[in-house]
Amino acid sequence: MGNNKIYSRRSFLKYSLGVAASIALANPLESVAAFKVHPMSFYHTHTGERFMMTYSCDGCPLETLEKLNDFLRDFRTGEVHPIDPRLLDILFGIQQNSGSRGIIEVISGYRSPKTNNFLRSQSDSVARKSLHMKGQALDIRITDLKIEQLRDAAVSLRRGGVGYYSKSNFVHIDTGRFRTW
């Protein structure tokens, strides 16, 4: 019986040392980075342009944000406006919550006041003070998610506004206060 206790202690110590060694040898920064760095692919439905970037929770390089601003420009007027980087945080959260790796299809990014006024004259569903005019909103689909899954993933974040447009087959996300419609 005395030997069994020693054997059990030895087994426990061997196991514990093995676990400790594997933790010590693993690079904790790499494991954290795996969760903080995420490739994102975009397709603009009106221009046919594609854009790929690597999202990082630590922020994106200025050059990447400038290219994204250009990609999300008002496609009707060509005007470029800075996009709120928190939109990327929301997109990252949606893809993490849903397990999506699909292409983010952009229907609308930045809208100039001129474009917004034109769209308001065509539809009652366009807000007079739309956050699109501040670079704080996107209308999107994601290729590997049903529109309802996209809406639910966005709502689950409880960050910004989430508009569900089932007939037009897109979801609006913005960086304003949390609300849904």
Coordinates of all heavy atoms in Angstrom, one line a residue, residues 65-146:
L65 N -6.7 51.5 -43.1 CA -7.9 52.3 -42.9 C -8.2 53.3 -44.0 O -9.3 53.4 -44.4 CB -7.8 53.1 -41.6 CG -7.9 52.2 -40.3 CD1 -7.7 53.1 -39.1 CD2 -9.2 51.4 -40.2
E66 N -7.1 53.8 -44.6 CA -7.3 54.7 -45.7 C -7.8 54.0 -47.0 O -8.7 54.4 -47.7 CB -6.0 55.4 -46.1 CG -5.6 56.5 -45.1 CD -4.2 57.1 -45.3 OE1 -3.5 56.6 -46.1 OE2 -3.9 58.1 -44.6
K67 N -7.3 52.8 -47.2 CA -7.8 51.9 -48.3 C -9.3 51.5 -48.0 O -10.1 51.5 -48.9 CB -6.9 50.7 -48.5 CG -5.6 51.0 -49.0 CD -4.7 49.8 -49.2 CE -3.3 50.1 -49.7 NZ -2.4 49.0 -49.7
L68 N -9.6 51.2 -46.8 CA -11.0 50.9 -46.4 C -11.9 52.1 -46.6 O -13.0 51.9 -47.1 CB -11.0 50.4 -45.0 CG -12.4 49.9 -44.5 CD1 -12.9 48.7 -45.3 CD2 -12.4 49.6 -43.0
N69 N -11.5 53.3 -46.2 CA -12.3 54.5 -46.4 C -12.6 54.6 -47.9 O -13.7 55.0 -48.3 CB -11.5 55.7 -46.0 CG -11.4 55.7 -44.5 OD1 -12.1 55.1 -43.7 ND2 -10.4 56.5 -44.0
D70 N -11.6 54.4 -48.8 CA -11.8 54.5 -50.2 C -12.8 53.5 -50.7 O -13.6 53.7 -51.5 CB -10.4 54.4 -51.0 CG -10.6 54.7 -52.4 OD1 -11.0 55.8 -52.8 OD2 -10.3 53.7 -53.2
F71 N -12.6 52.2 -50.2 CA -13.5 51.1 -50.6 C -14.9 51.4 -50.2 O -15.9 51.1 -51.0 CB -13.0 49.8 -50.0 CG -13.9 48.7 -50.2 CD1 -13.9 48.0 -51.5 CD2 -14.8 48.2 -49.3 CE1 -14.8 46.9 -51.7 CE2 -15.7 47.2 -49.5 CZ -15.6 46.5 -50.7
L72 N -15.1 52.0 -49.1 CA -16.5 52.3 -48.6 C -17.0 53.7 -48.9 O -18.0 54.2 -48.4 CB -16.5 52.1 -47.0 CG -16.2 50.7 -46.6 CD1 -16.1 50.6 -45.0 CD2 -17.3 49.7 -47.0
R73 N -16.4 54.3 -49.9 CA -16.8 55.7 -50.3 C -18.2 55.7 -50.8 O -18.8 54.7 -51.1 CB -15.8 56.2 -51.4 CG -16.0 55.4 -52.7 CD -14.9 55.8 -53.8 NE -15.1 55.0 -55.0 CZ -14.7 53.7 -55.1 NH1 -14.1 53.1 -54.1 NH2 -14.8 53.1 -56.3
D74 N -18.8 56.9 -50.9 CA -20.1 57.1 -51.6 C -19.9 56.7 -53.0 O -19.3 57.5 -53.8 CB -20.5 58.5 -51.4 CG -21.9 58.7 -51.9 OD1 -22.3 58.1 -52.9 OD2 -22.6 59.6 -51.4
F75 N -20.4 55.6 -53.4 CA -20.2 55.1 -54.8 C -20.9 56.0 -55.8 O -20.6 56.0 -57.0 CB -20.5 53.7 -55.0 CG -22.0 53.4 -54.9 CD1 -22.8 53.4 -56.0 CD2 -22.6 53.1 -53.7 CE1 -24.2 53.1 -55.9 CE2 -23.9 52.8 -53.5 CZ -24.7 52.8 -54.7
R76 N -21.9 56.8 -55.4 CA -22.6 57.6 -56.3 C -21.9 58.9 -56.7 O -21.9 59.4 -57.8 CB -24.0 58.0 -55.8 CG -25.0 56.8 -55.7 CD -26.3 57.2 -55.1 NE -27.2 56.1 -55.1 CZ -27.3 55.2 -54.1 NH1 -26.5 55.2 -53.1 NH2 -28.2 54.2 -54.2
T77 N -21.2 59.5 -55.6 CA -20.5 60.8 -55.8 C -19.0 60.6 -55.9 O -18.3 61.5 -56.3 CB -20.8 61.8 -54.7 OG1 -20.3 61.3 -53.5 CG2 -22.3 62.0 -54.6
G78 N -18.5 59.5 -55.4 CA -17.0 59.3 -55.3 C -16.4 59.9 -54.0 O -15.2 59.8 -53.8
E79 N -17.2 60.6 -53.2 CA -16.7 61.2 -52.0 C -16.2 60.1 -51.0 O -16.9 59.1 -50.7 CB -17.8 62.1 -51.3 CG -18.1 63.3 -52.1 CD -19.2 64.1 -51.4 OE1 -19.0 64.5 -50.2 OE2 -20.2 64.4 -52.1
V80 N -15.0 60.4 -50.4 CA -14.4 59.5 -49.4 C -14.5 60.2 -48.0 O -14.4 61.4 -47.9 CB -12.9 59.2 -49.8 CG1 -12.3 58.4 -48.7 CG2 -12.8 58.5 -51.1
H81 N -14.8 59.4 -47.0 CA -15.0 59.9 -45.7 C -14.4 58.9 -44.7 O -14.5 57.7 -45.0 CB -16.5 60.1 -45.4 CG -16.8 60.8 -44.1 ND1 -16.8 60.2 -42.9 CD2 -17.1 62.1 -43.9 CE1 -17.1 61.1 -41.9 NE2 -17.2 62.3 -42.5
P82 N -13.8 59.3 -43.6 CA -13.3 58.4 -42.7 C -14.4 57.5 -42.1 O -15.5 58.0 -41.7 CB -12.7 59.2 -41.5 CG -12.4 60.5 -42.2 CD -13.5 60.7 -43.2
I83 N -14.1 56.2 -42.1 CA -15.1 55.2 -41.5 C -14.7 55.0 -40.0 O -13.5 54.9 -39.7 CB -15.0 53.9 -42.3 CG1 -15.4 54.1 -43.8 CG2 -15.8 52.8 -41.7 CD1 -16.8 54.6 -44.0
D84 N -15.7 54.9 -39.2 CA -15.5 54.6 -37.8 C -14.9 53.2 -37.6 O -15.6 52.2 -38.0 CB -16.8 54.7 -37.0 CG -16.7 54.7 -35.5 OD1 -15.7 54.2 -35.0 OD2 -17.7 55.1 -34.8
P85 N -13.7 53.1 -37.1 CA -13.1 51.8 -36.9 C -13.9 50.8 -36.0 O -13.7 49.6 -36.1 CB -11.7 52.1 -36.3 CG -11.5 53.5 -36.5 CD -12.8 54.2 -36.6
R86 N -14.8 51.4 -35.2 CA -15.6 50.5 -34.3 C -16.5 49.6 -35.2 O -17.0 48.6 -34.7 CB -16.4 51.4 -33.3 CG -15.5 52.1 -32.3 CD -16.3 52.9 -31.4 NE -17.0 54.0 -32.1 CZ -17.9 54.8 -31.6 NH1 -18.3 54.6 -30.4 NH2 -18.5 55.7 -32.4
L87 N -16.8 50.0 -36.4 CA -17.6 49.2 -37.3 C -16.8 47.8 -37.5 O -17.4 46.8 -37.6 CB -17.8 49.8 -38.7 CG -18.9 51.0 -38.6 CD1 -18.8 51.7 -39.9 CD2 -20.3 50.4 -38.4
L88 N -15.5 47.9 -37.6 CA -14.7 46.7 -37.8 C -14.8 45.8 -36.5 O -14.9 44.6 -36.6 CB -13.2 47.0 -38.1 CG -13.0 47.8 -39.4 CD1 -11.5 48.2 -39.5 CD2 -13.3 46.9 -40.6
D89 N -14.9 46.4 -35.4 CA -15.0 45.7 -34.1 C -16.4 44.9 -34.1 O -16.4 43.8 -33.7 CB -15.0 46.6 -32.9 CG -13.6 47.3 -32.7 OD1 -12.6 46.8 -33.3 OD2 -13.6 48.4 -32.1
I90 N -17.4 45.6 -34.6 CA -18.7 45.0 -34.7 C -18.7 43.8 -35.7 O -19.2 42.7 -35.5 CB -19.8 46.0 -35.1 CG1 -20.0 47.0 -33.9 CG2 -21.1 45.3 -35.4 CD1 -20.8 48.2 -34.2
L91 N -18.1 44.1 -36.9 CA -18.0 43.0 -37.9 C -17.2 41.8 -37.4 O -17.6 40.6 -37.6 CB -17.3 43.5 -39.2 CG -18.2 44.5 -40.0 CD1 -17.3 45.1 -41.1 CD2 -19.4 43.8 -40.6
F92 N -16.1 42.1 -36.7 CA -15.3 41.0 -36.0 C -16.2 40.2 -35.1 O -16.2 39.0 -35.1 CB -14.1 41.6 -35.4 CG -13.3 40.6 -34.6 CD1 -12.5 39.7 -35.2 CD2 -13.4 40.6 -33.2 CE1 -11.8 38.7 -34.4 CE2 -12.6 39.7 -32.4 CZ -11.8 38.7 -33.1
G93 N -16.9 41.0 -34.2 CA -17.8 40.3 -33.2 C -18.9 39.4 -33.9 O -19.2 38.3 -33.4
I94 N -19.4 39.9 -35.0 CA -20.5 39.2 -35.7 C -19.9 37.9 -36.2 O -20.4 36.8 -36.0 CB -21.1 40.0 -36.9 CG1 -21.9 41.1 -36.3 CG2 -21.8 39.1 -37.8 CD1 -22.3 42.2 -37.4
Q95 N -18.7 38.0 -36.8 CA -18.1 36.8 -37.4 C -17.6 35.8 -36.3 O -17.8 34.6 -36.4 CB -16.9 37.1 -38.3 CG -17.5 37.8 -39.6 CD -16.5 37.8 -40.8 OE1 -15.4 38.2 -40.6 NE2 -16.9 37.3 -41.9
Q96 N -17.1 36.3 -35.2 CA -16.7 35.5 -34.1 C -18.0 34.8 -33.5 O -17.9 33.6 -33.2 CB -16.0 36.3 -33.0 CG -14.6 36.7 -33.4 CD -13.7 35.6 -33.7 OE1 -13.4 34.7 -32.8 NE2 -13.2 35.5 -34.9
N97 N -19.0 35.5 -33.2 CA -20.2 34.9 -32.6 C -20.9 33.9 -33.5 O -21.5 32.9 -33.0 CB -21.3 36.0 -32.3 CG -20.9 36.8 -31.0 OD1 -19.9 36.5 -30.4 ND2 -21.7 37.8 -30.7
S98 N -20.9 34.1 -34.8 CA -21.6 33.2 -35.7 C -20.7 32.1 -36.3 O -21.2 31.2 -36.9 CB -22.1 34.1 -36.9 OG -21.1 34.6 -37.7
G99 N -19.4 32.3 -36.2 CA -18.4 31.3 -36.8 C -18.2 31.6 -38.3 O -17.7 30.8 -39.0
S100 N -18.7 32.7 -38.7 CA -18.6 33.1 -40.1 C -17.2 33.3 -40.6 O -16.4 34.0 -39.9 CB -19.5 34.3 -40.4 OG -19.2 34.8 -41.7
R101 N -16.9 32.9 -41.8 CA -15.7 33.3 -42.5 C -16.0 33.8 -43.9 O -15.2 33.8 -44.8 CB -14.7 32.0 -42.6 CG -14.2 31.6 -41.2 CD -13.3 32.6 -40.6 NE -12.9 32.3 -39.3 CZ -13.4 32.7 -38.1 NH1 -14.4 33.5 -38.1 NH2 -12.9 32.3 -37.0
G102 N -17.3 34.1 -44.1 CA -17.8 34.5 -45.4 C -17.3 35.9 -45.8 O -16.7 36.6 -45.0
I103 N -17.6 36.2 -47.0 CA -17.3 37.5 -47.6 C -18.4 38.5 -47.1 O -19.6 38.2 -47.2 CB -17.2 37.5 -49.1 CG1 -16.1 36.5 -49.5 CG2 -17.1 38.9 -49.7 CD1 -16.1 36.2 -51.0
I104 N -17.9 39.7 -46.6 CA -18.9 40.7 -46.2 C -19.2 41.5 -47.4 O -18.4 42.2 -48.1 CB -18.2 41.6 -45.2 CG1 -17.8 40.8 -43.9 CG2 -19.1 42.8 -44.8 CD1 -16.8 41.4 -43.0
E105 N -20.5 41.4 -47.8 CA -21.0 42.2 -49.0 C -21.5 43.5 -48.5 O -22.4 43.5 -47.7 CB -22.1 41.4 -49.7 CG -21.6 40.1 -50.3 CD -22.7 39.3 -51.0 OE1 -23.9 39.5 -50.8 OE2 -22.3 38.5 -51.9
V106 N -21.0 44.6 -49.0 CA -21.3 45.9 -48.7 C -22.3 46.4 -49.7 O -22.1 46.5 -50.9 CB -20.1 46.8 -48.6 CG1 -20.5 48.3 -48.3 CG2 -19.1 46.3 -47.6
I107 N -23.5 46.8 -49.2 CA -24.5 47.5 -50.0 C -24.3 49.0 -49.9 O -24.5 49.7 -50.9 CB -25.9 47.0 -49.6 CG1 -26.2 45.6 -49.9 CG2 -27.0 47.9 -50.3 CD1 -25.9 44.6 -48.8
S108 N -24.1 49.5 -48.7 CA -23.9 50.9 -48.5 C -22.9 51.1 -47.4 O -23.0 50.5 -46.3 CB -25.2 51.6 -48.2 OG -25.1 53.0 -48.1
G109 N -21.9 52.0 -47.6 CA -21.0 52.5 -46.6 C -21.3 53.9 -46.3 O -22.4 54.3 -46.0
Y110 N -20.2 54.7 -46.6 CA -20.4 56.2 -46.4 C -21.4 56.7 -47.5 O -21.5 56.3 -48.6 CB -19.1 56.9 -46.6 CG -19.3 58.4 -46.7 CD1 -19.7 59.1 -45.6 CD2 -19.1 59.1 -47.9 CE1 -19.9 60.5 -45.6 CE2 -19.3 60.5 -48.0 CZ -19.7 61.2 -46.8 OH -19.9 62.5 -46.9
R111 N -22.2 57.7 -47.0 CA -23.2 58.4 -47.9 C -23.0 59.9 -47.7 O -23.1 60.4 -46.6 CB -24.6 58.1 -47.5 CG -25.2 56.9 -48.1 CD -26.7 56.9 -47.9 NE -27.1 55.5 -47.6 CZ -28.1 55.2 -46.8 NH1 -28.7 56.1 -46.1 NH2 -28.4 53.9 -46.6
S112 N -22.8 60.6 -48.8 CA -22.7 62.0 -48.7 C -24.1 62.6 -48.4 O -25.1 61.9 -48.6 CB -22.2 62.6 -50.0 OG -23.2 62.4 -51.0
P113 N -24.2 63.8 -47.8 CA -25.5 64.4 -47.6 C -26.3 64.5 -48.9 O -27.5 64.2 -48.8 CB -25.1 65.8 -47.0 CG -23.8 65.6 -46.4 CD -23.1 64.6 -47.3
K114 N -25.7 64.7 -50.0 CA -26.4 64.8 -51.3 C -27.0 63.5 -51.6 O -28.2 63.4 -52.0 CB -25.4 65.2 -52.4 CG -26.0 65.3 -53.8 CD -25.0 65.7 -54.8 CE -25.6 65.8 -56.2 NZ -24.7 66.2 -57.2
T115 N -26.3 62.4 -51.5 CA -26.8 61.0 -51.7 C -27.9 60.7 -50.7 O -28.9 60.2 -51.1 CB -25.7 60.0 -51.6 OG1 -24.8 60.2 -52.7 CG2 -26.2 58.6 -51.7
N116 N -27.7 61.0 -49.5 CA -28.7 60.7 -48.5 C -30.0 61.4 -48.8 O -31.1 60.8 -48.7 CB -28.2 61.1 -47.0 CG -28.9 60.3 -46.0 OD1 -28.8 59.1 -45.9 ND2 -29.7 61.0 -45.2
N117 N -29.9 62.7 -49.1 CA -31.1 63.5 -49.5 C -31.8 62.8 -50.7 O -33.1 62.7 -50.7 CB -30.8 64.9 -49.7 CG -30.5 65.7 -48.5 OD1 -30.9 65.3 -47.4 ND2 -29.7 66.7 -48.6
F118 N -31.1 62.4 -51.7 CA -31.6 61.8 -52.8 C -32.4 60.5 -52.4 O -33.5 60.2 -52.8 CB -30.6 61.4 -53.9 CG -31.0 60.5 -55.0 CD1 -31.9 60.9 -56.0 CD2 -30.7 59.2 -55.0 CE1 -32.4 60.1 -56.9 CE2 -31.1 58.3 -55.9 CZ -32.0 58.8 -56.9
L119 N -31.7 59.7 -51.6 CA -32.4 58.4 -51.2 C -33.6 58.7 -50.3 O -34.6 57.9 -50.4 CB -31.3 57.5 -50.4 CG -30.2 57.0 -51.3 CD1 -29.2 56.3 -50.4 CD2 -30.7 56.1 -52.4
R120 N -33.6 59.7 -49.5 CA -34.7 60.1 -48.7 C -35.9 60.4 -49.6 O -37.1 60.2 -49.3 CB -34.4 61.2 -47.7 CG -33.8 60.8 -46.5 CD -33.5 61.9 -45.5 NE -34.5 62.9 -45.4 CZ -35.6 62.7 -44.6 NH1 -35.9 61.6 -44.0 NH2 -36.5 63.7 -44.5
S121 N -35.6 61.1 -50.7 CA -36.7 61.4 -51.6 C -37.3 60.2 -52.3 O -38.5 60.3 -52.8 CB -36.2 62.4 -52.7 OG -35.4 61.8 -53.6
Q122 N -36.6 59.1 -52.3 CA -37.1 57.8 -52.9 C -37.7 56.9 -51.9 O -38.5 56.0 -52.3 CB -35.9 57.1 -53.6 CG -35.1 58.0 -54.6 CD -35.9 58.4 -55.8 OE1 -36.5 57.5 -56.4 NE2 -36.0 59.7 -56.1
S123 N -37.4 57.0 -50.6 CA -37.9 56.1 -49.6 C -38.1 56.7 -48.3 O -37.2 57.5 -47.8 CB -36.9 54.9 -49.5 OG -37.2 54.1 -48.4
D124 N -39.1 56.3 -47.6 CA -39.3 56.7 -46.2 C -38.4 56.1 -45.2 O -38.3 56.5 -44.0 CB -40.8 56.5 -45.8 CG -41.8 57.3 -46.6 OD1 -41.4 58.4 -47.1 OD2 -43.0 56.9 -46.7
S125 N -37.7 55.0 -45.6 CA -36.9 54.3 -44.6 C -35.5 54.9 -44.5 O -34.7 54.3 -43.7 CB -36.8 52.8 -45.0 OG -36.1 52.7 -46.2
V126 N -35.2 55.9 -45.2 CA -33.9 56.6 -45.1 C -33.9 57.7 -44.0 O -34.7 58.6 -44.2 CB -33.4 57.1 -46.4 CG1 -32.0 57.8 -46.3 CG2 -33.3 55.9 -47.4
A127 N -33.1 57.6 -43.0 CA -33.1 58.6 -41.9 C -32.5 59.9 -42.4 O -31.5 60.0 -43.2 CB -32.3 58.1 -40.8
R128 N -33.1 61.0 -41.9 CA -32.6 62.4 -42.3 C -31.2 62.6 -41.8 O -30.4 63.2 -42.4 CB -33.6 63.4 -41.7 CG -33.3 64.8 -42.2 CD -34.4 65.8 -41.8 NE -34.7 65.8 -40.4 CZ -34.1 66.6 -39.5 NH1 -33.2 67.4 -39.9 NH2 -34.5 66.6 -38.2
K129 N -30.9 62.1 -40.6 CA -29.6 62.3 -40.0 C -28.9 60.9 -39.9 O -28.3 60.5 -38.9 CB -29.7 62.8 -38.6 CG -30.3 64.2 -38.5 CD -30.3 64.8 -37.1 CE -30.7 66.2 -37.1 NZ -30.7 66.8 -35.8
S130 N -28.9 60.2 -41.0 CA -28.3 58.9 -41.1 C -26.9 58.9 -40.7 O -26.1 59.7 -41.0 CB -28.4 58.4 -42.6 OG -27.7 57.2 -42.7
L131 N -26.5 57.8 -39.9 CA -25.1 57.7 -39.5 C -24.2 57.3 -40.6 O -23.0 57.3 -40.5 CB -25.0 56.6 -38.3 CG -25.7 57.1 -37.0 CD1 -25.6 56.0 -36.0 CD2 -25.0 58.3 -36.5
H132 N -24.8 56.9 -41.8 CA -24.0 56.7 -43.0 C -23.2 58.0 -43.3 O -22.1 57.9 -43.8 CB -24.9 56.3 -44.2 CG -25.4 54.8 -44.1 ND1 -24.6 53.8 -44.5 CD2 -26.5 54.3 -43.7 CE1 -25.3 52.7 -44.4 NE2 -26.5 53.0 -43.9
M133 N -23.8 59.1 -43.1 CA -23.2 60.4 -43.4 C -22.0 60.7 -42.5 O -21.3 61.7 -42.8 CB -24.3 61.5 -43.4 CG -25.3 61.4 -44.5 SD -26.4 62.8 -44.6 CE -27.1 62.9 -42.9
K134 N -21.9 60.0 -41.4 CA -20.8 60.2 -40.5 C -19.7 59.1 -40.6 O -18.8 59.1 -39.9 CB -21.3 60.3 -39.1 CG -22.1 61.5 -38.8 CD -22.6 61.5 -37.4 CE -23.3 62.8 -37.0 NZ -23.6 62.8 -35.6
G135 N -20.0 58.2 -41.6 CA -19.1 57.0 -41.7 C -19.2 56.1 -40.5 O -18.3 55.3 -40.2
Q136 N -20.4 56.0 -39.9 CA -20.6 55.2 -38.7 C -21.6 54.1 -39.0 O -22.1 53.5 -38.1 CB -21.2 56.1 -37.6 CG -20.2 57.0 -37.1 CD -20.8 57.9 -35.9 OE1 -21.7 58.7 -36.1 NE2 -20.3 57.6 -34.7
A137 N -21.9 53.8 -40.3 CA -22.9 52.8 -40.6 C -22.6 52.0 -41.9 O -21.9 52.6 -42.8 CB -24.3 53.4 -40.7
L138 N -23.0 50.8 -41.9 CA -22.9 49.9 -43.1 C -24.1 49.1 -43.2 O -24.8 48.7 -42.3 CB -21.7 48.9 -42.9 CG -20.3 49.4 -42.7 CD1 -19.4 48.2 -42.4 CD2 -19.8 50.1 -44.0
D139 N -24.5 48.9 -44.5 CA -25.6 48.0 -44.8 C -24.9 46.8 -45.5 O -24.1 46.9 -46.5 CB -26.6 48.6 -45.8 CG -27.3 49.8 -45.2 OD1 -27.4 49.9 -44.0 OD2 -27.8 50.6 -46.0
I140 N -25.1 45.6 -44.9 CA -24.3 44.4 -45.3 C -25.1 43.1 -45.4 O -26.2 43.0 -44.9 CB -23.1 44.2 -44.3 CG1 -23.7 43.9 -42.9 CG2 -22.2 45.4 -44.3 CD1 -22.6 43.3 -42.0
R141 N -24.5 42.2 -46.0 CA -24.8 40.7 -46.0 C -23.5 40.0 -45.8 O -22.4 40.6 -46.0 CB -25.4 40.2 -47.3 CG -26.7 40.8 -47.6 CD -27.3 40.1 -48.9 NE -26.6 40.5 -50.1 CZ -27.0 41.5 -51.0 NH1 -28.2 42.1 -50.7 NH2 -26.3 41.7 -52.0
I142 N -23.5 38.8 -45.3 CA -22.3 37.9 -45.3 C -22.6 36.6 -46.0 O -23.7 36.0 -45.7 CB -21.8 37.7 -43.8 CG1 -21.5 39.1 -43.1 CG2 -20.6 36.8 -43.8 CD1 -21.0 39.0 -41.7
T143 N -21.8 36.2 -46.9 CA -22.1 35.2 -47.8 C -22.4 33.8 -47.2 O -23.2 33.1 -47.7 CB -21.0 35.0 -48.9 OG1 -19.8 34.7 -48.2 CG2 -20.9 36.2 -49.8
D144 N -21.9 33.5 -46.0 CA -22.1 32.2 -45.4 C -23.2 32.3 -44.3 O -23.3 31.3 -43.5 CB -20.8 31.5 -45.0 CG -20.1 32.3 -43.9 OD1 -20.5 33.4 -43.6 OD2 -19.1 31.7 -43.4
L145 N -23.9 33.4 -44.2 CA -24.9 33.5 -43.1 C -26.2 33.9 -43.8 O -26.3 34.7 -44.7 CB -24.6 34.6 -42.2 CG -23.4 34.5 -41.2 CD1 -23.2 35.7 -40.4 CD2 -23.5 33.2 -40.4
K146 N -27.3 33.3 -43.3 CA -28.6 33.7 -43.6 C -28.8 35.1 -43.0 O -28.2 35.4 -42.0 CB -29.7 32.7 -43.1 CG -29.7 31.4 -43.8 CD -30.7 30.5 -43.2 CE -30.6 29.1 -43.9 NZ -31.5 28.1 -43.3

